[in-house]
Amino acid sequence: MRAVILAGGKGSRLAARSNGLPKPLVTVNGKALLEYQFELLARHRVEEATVLCGYRAEDIRRFCGDGSRWGLRVECVEETAPLGTAGAVIAALDELPEEFLVLYADTMVNVDLGRMFAAHRASGAEGTLFLHPNDHPWDSDLVESDENGRVLGIHGYPHAEGALLPNQVNAALYVLKASALRGMKVPEKPLDFAKHVFPELLRRGVHLHGYRSAEYIKDAGTPERLDHVAEDLRRGVVARGSLAVKRPAIFLDRDGTINEDISYLTRPEQLKMIPGAAEAIRLLRGAGYRIVVVTNQPVIARGDCTTADLLRIHDSMEMELSREGAFLDGIYHCPHHPDKGFEGERAELKFRCECRKPGDGMVRQAVRELNIELDGSWLIGDRTGDVQTAHNCGIHSVLLRTGIGGRDQRYTAKPEYMFDDLAAAARFIVQQNDERLAAEQNAGAAER
Ligand SMILES: [Zn+2]
């Protein structure tokens, strides 16, 4: 795989920090933004990079050299006129291989590129867009996709009043096939991928895939954002932000844990969040855990709700969470139910599966897909089945007094802890985690 790094911007928004340097060479914690990207590529064995430059191209060329400093082969290509992000790539197509990765030089990225490439290949798409949740989806361009990840549309803001869209923001990281772009003319005016090229490709019926991930990717193009990224680097948030790094997780049940259990939740407008749940998720994620929802949704097998309906409910839940800066790394649902013979049911989903809790199927899938370390992981829920699932997976268990509050009494497994709600559980886990880290640091200091 070859990477194409868009480094042509003048960086006028960063002028106060750049000392006249072009934006890709602005340093954060002592290192140029472009260097972080070269290191990312080298870590993922992406050994060739084409840097598309414009403003102060000579400085960038001198900085890159031949790339061997990073174990890469780097070439710089200078654009003759500013053509915008997509325009620059289209103009350079003849020098690019059939498939390539596109990165923007003013972003800080720590994404497991190998996983993204694998998802791109598995989808068979002409292009894959990295999509991530952010904390201001209402004023972001949001990408709508179907249950297989195929991109259906790109919704620029302002969004239509009352529109329910997923918190999937185009994060300016793509895998593209040159053939998909070949039909597009080299533009005379600047062209942007999200505003011009992807909508045009969708109109032509080109298959674009949305790769959804909450890994670390942030625009560093203004002084405030640069400071934010610097702080994230210092606190280790960037380093642990990639799925290439194994992390413990907090597995969360949905109904009765995050949102009120109304027993037949089949439409997004019925969703009502439990107070403090979003703040709890924000705290836990800030402490370095991956946050994964695992939920039994037999409403699908019963025919009360389609998978598409369920995804709309989850879109709504993630929008509510994002208002408080809370994000999920994944949502896994079991659509099955073991008992056959009801009117309106979907017979093909009526069987004894391994994913329905207390089965460990959803947790095992998340462990594979999100590189989770079970040691130090927790499962929090309001039913005895959640506690039993935790036991079956060998992870810590918390039973909450919200929702059913364990009154279902279906399974006999005893919870390690009980709390009034998710907020109380989160405070406890975060405090325990802080104490453990402090003890480790002290032990380390004593050894030194
Ligand atoms: Zn299942």
Side-chain angles (χ1 to χ4, degrees), residues 296 333-337 351-357 362:
N296 287 352
H333 73 270
C334 162
H336 310 113
H337 193 265
F351 65 92
R352 205 164 284 281
C353 63
E354 287 180 2
C355 44
R356 182 173 165 82
K357 292 180 288 184
M362 290 190 281

Side-chain angles (χ1 to χ4, degrees), residues 146-164:
D146 71 10
E147 55 188 276
N148 301 314
R150 185 173 181 136
V151 174
L152 301 174
I154 297 177
H155 301 268
Y157 69 97
H159 308 128
E161 183 76 27
L164 176 54

Side-chain angles (χ1 to χ4, degrees), residues 16-307:
R17 298 293 175 81
S18 60
N19 295 322
L21 289 172
K23 192 158 59 168
L25 301 189
V26 171
T27 56
V28 48
N29 295 7
K31 216 188 272 183
L33 283 168
L34 193 52
E35 181 153 22
Y36 286 100
Q37 303 210 334
F38 287 155
E39 290 177 350
L40 172 82
L41 298 177
R43 279 204 300 283
H44 293 89
R45 298 195 190 87
V46 177
E47 283 155 0
E48 296 182 324
T50 300
V51 180
L52 300 180
C53 17
Y55 177 68
R56 310 256 320 241
E58 225 13 78
D59 290 337
I60 293 178
R61 202 184 282 278
R62 203 172 315 120
F63 176 81
C64 297
D66 61 359
S68 54
R69 261 205 289 163
W70 300 279
L72 306 174
R73 285 184 297 282
V74 174
E75 56 166 24
C76 294
V77 173
E78 212 171 317
E79 57 180 5
T80 45
L83 296 173
T85 54
V89 173
I90 291 169
L93 269 190
D94 286 343
E95 320 204 20
L96 299 178
E98 171 53 18
E99 203 164 56
F100 52 87
L101 172 76
V102 178
L103 281 161
Y104 288 53
D106 58 353
T107 53
M108 178 60 70
V109 183
N110 196 14
V111 164
D112 186 342
L113 297 176
R115 281 175 198 265
M116 183 180 177
F117 298 155
H120 168 71
R121 295 202 179 104
S123 73
E126 301 285 300
T128 291
L129 287 59
F130 185 94
L131 307 178
H132 74 151
N134 77 8
D135 57 4
H136 51 96
W138 43 89
D139 60 11
S140 302
D141 294 335
L142 300 178
V143 179
E144 193 185 357
S145 52
D146 71 10
E147 55 188 276
N148 301 314
R150 185 173 181 136
V151 174
L152 301 174
I154 297 177
H155 301 268
Y157 69 97
H159 308 128
E161 183 76 27
L164 176 54
L165 294 168
N167 186 359
Q168 297 190 140
V169 180
N170 176 23
L173 178 68
Y174 317 119
V175 180
L176 297 175
K177 284 194 172 153
S179 52
L181 299 174
R182 281 238 156 74
M184 305 203 64
K185 279 205 290 271
V186 175
E188 284 155 17
K189 277 186 282 184
L191 267 194
D192 182 77
F193 276 112
K195 282 195 184 67
H196 311 109
V197 172
F198 296 143
E200 175 59 23
L201 293 179
L202 289 175
R203 270 193 292 277
R204 295 180 185 185
V206 170
H207 178 184
L208 297 178
H209 180 70
Y211 177 67
R212 201 198 155 118
S213 170
E215 287 165 284
Y216 195 92
I217 181 160
K218 268 202 178 106
D219 175 359
T222 68
E224 301 74 45
R225 288 176 186 161
L226 199 65
D227 289 344
H228 200 125
V229 164
E231 180 60 19
D232 285 348
L233 281 165
R234 275 192 292 274
R235 288 173 42 229
V237 177
V238 180
R240 68 175 183 243
S242 164
L243 287 181
V245 179
K246 219 181 191 72
R247 296 293 307 171
I250 307 291
F251 293 96
L252 295 174
D253 169 50
R254 194 191 79 180
D255 304 313
T257 297
I258 299 173
N259 54 279
E260 304 283 359
D261 188 348
I262 62 158
S263 80
Y264 280 92
L265 175 56
T266 55
R267 296 192 313 276
E269 55 277 19
Q270 296 170 309
L271 182 82
K272 190 162 175 279
M273 303 293 281
I274 292 176
E279 166 71 4
I281 290 172
R282 192 184 65 77
L283 268 181
L284 289 166
R285 198 154 193 279
Y289 292 98
R290 301 220 156 104
I291 310 294
V292 184
V293 172
V294 285
T295 175
N296 287 352
Q297 290 301 326
V299 283
I300 296 180
R302 290 197 200 106
D304 294 334
C305 156
T306 65
T307 303

